[in-house]
Amino acid sequence: MTASPLRHAAPGNDGTRTHYQLGRTHRTAVAVAGVLTLALLGTAACGKKGDPQASASANTVITDSPGASASALPSGSAAATPQPSSTGGSGNGNQAPTFPKSAKDYGLAALAAWASGSKSKLDQYAVQAAVAQFMGHGKPNSQWSTLNCEPSSNGRTPCNYRNAHGDDARLTMEDTQLGHPTATVDVFLNRTQYPTDAAGYVGFFMAAWGDGNKQRMTRYASSSIANMFTGKTPPTGSQTEATQNGSTWTVRVNGLPLGSGNWTFTVSGSKLGGGNAITAAKID
């Protein structure tokens, strides 16, 4: 599975109709009387509660509370917390770090160092330019798994990873430096963001669906709502329209091109800007 990190566009303003396409957003202003229409696409935490086990189908309304921990990981992979060993892992306490000889494990060790919040540990695994890229993105969830690695002919190996919060990372390792310090030479990070407007929030959910990022979908909704969409073909773009009733928003989504699907989402206004704001979803 090849990670295809989504480049998020900024949330829009009131009084706009948003046309969403994977990879880019095009906004056309339209006057809409009595309807607050918000644009797509913006950070925080989530609550915990078990999810229903029933699977969803077309015309099923899923209403749910926050997912337990949004810990769904790609099939066959495990959370990444490399341990020191003769072949590699991250440093532990006063123990000197060891350095993996495979690009995949080296990237996991670098991600574990980043998640520890310790720059001195990260300095062991990445050149300073890459360290700066890491440190500019806060401290992530530590449950990383490998999506794939792509050996190339230029002496470097990029590897794609995803954590339980839906954050994507692409790390590039210098092949000749594997087994030694500072083999990570380039980093691209795509952290899960939480918009403060209802239409944008649903737009990010749709984008995560299009990107195959179920972990991120679960962070925006719940595992049962994410399961409702998993395995189905997402539209290539979408148009959203949001209306408010007290503290609750109803967001209607028309898939683009027309005829590729219609959905209605219920969004809790008090949860916008944080996790699990989508509390119900219906396939129209």
Side-chain angles (χ1 to χ4, degrees):
M1 175 179 178
T2 301
S4 52
L6 174 71
R7 279 69 170 177
H8 290 309
N13 301 314
D14 295 351
T16 64
R17 183 181 299 273
T18 300
H19 296 269
Y20 170 77
Q21 289 183 304
L22 298 184
R24 68 176 187 175
T25 300
H26 173 67
R27 190 181 304 114
T28 303
V30 177
V32 181
V35 178
L36 178 60
T37 309
L38 298 176
L40 288 177
L41 305 145
T43 267
C46 68
K48 294 188 177 182
K49 187 175 181 182
D51 298 319
Q53 300 302 311
S55 59
S57 60
N59 299 316
T60 298
V61 178
I62 296 294
T63 303
D64 222 321
S65 298
S69 63
S71 60
L73 296 172
S75 176
S77 59
T81 310
Q83 300 298 323
S85 69
S86 60
T87 58
S90 58
N92 191 357
N94 295 323
Q95 201 169 16
T98 53
F99 302 95
K101 295 182 180 179
S102 74
K104 170 190 162 222
D105 291 337
Y106 203 103
L108 289 172
L111 290 167
W114 176 34
S116 76
S118 171
K119 182 179 181 298
S120 61
K121 287 184 180 179
L122 196 51
D123 287 341
Q124 299 285 332
Y125 293 97
V127 299
Q128 286 304 299
V131 169
Q133 290 173 290
F134 277 120
M135 300 307 289
H137 285 82
K139 184 178 176 180
N141 169 270
S142 63
Q143 296 172 278
W144 290 96
S145 57
T146 307
L147 297 179
N148 62 11
C149 289
E150 305 165 354
S152 63
S153 59
N154 64 355
R156 294 183 173 183
T157 300
C159 293
N160 296 298
Y161 305 92
R162 180 172 292 159
N163 69 11
H165 286 194
D167 300 327
D168 282 328
R170 182 178 177 86
L171 276 58
T172 300
M173 273 61 70
E174 190 79 46
D175 293 343
T176 58
Q177 198 63 20
L178 292 172
H180 305 283
T182 65
T184 306
V185 295
D186 188 62
V187 178
F188 174 79
L189 302 171
N190 180 344
R191 299 293 305 276
T192 297
Q193 302 175 60
Y194 303 91
T196 57
D197 68 288
Y201 202 100
V202 171
F204 271 36
F205 177 91
M206 296 291 290
W209 179 26
D211 207 38
N213 191 334
K214 186 176 180 181
Q215 291 87 345
R216 185 170 290 178
M217 293 167 68
T218 302
R219 294 292 291 181
Y220 292 140
S222 65
S223 59
S224 55
I225 292 176
N227 287 340
M228 179 179 176
F229 292 82
T230 303
K232 295 180 173 62
T233 302
T236 57
S238 62
Q239 180 185 64
T240 62
E241 189 171 285
T243 57
Q244 186 176 13
N245 182 11
S247 63
T248 300
W249 290 85
T250 298
V251 180
R252 293 180 175 83
V253 179
N254 296 318
L256 298 176
L258 294 177
S260 55
N262 299 284
W263 303 267
T264 299
F265 295 85
T266 302
V267 180
S268 170
S270 64
K271 293 183 178 181
L272 288 170
N276 308 106
I278 297 173
T279 58
K282 177 184 178 183
I283 300 175
D284 296 329

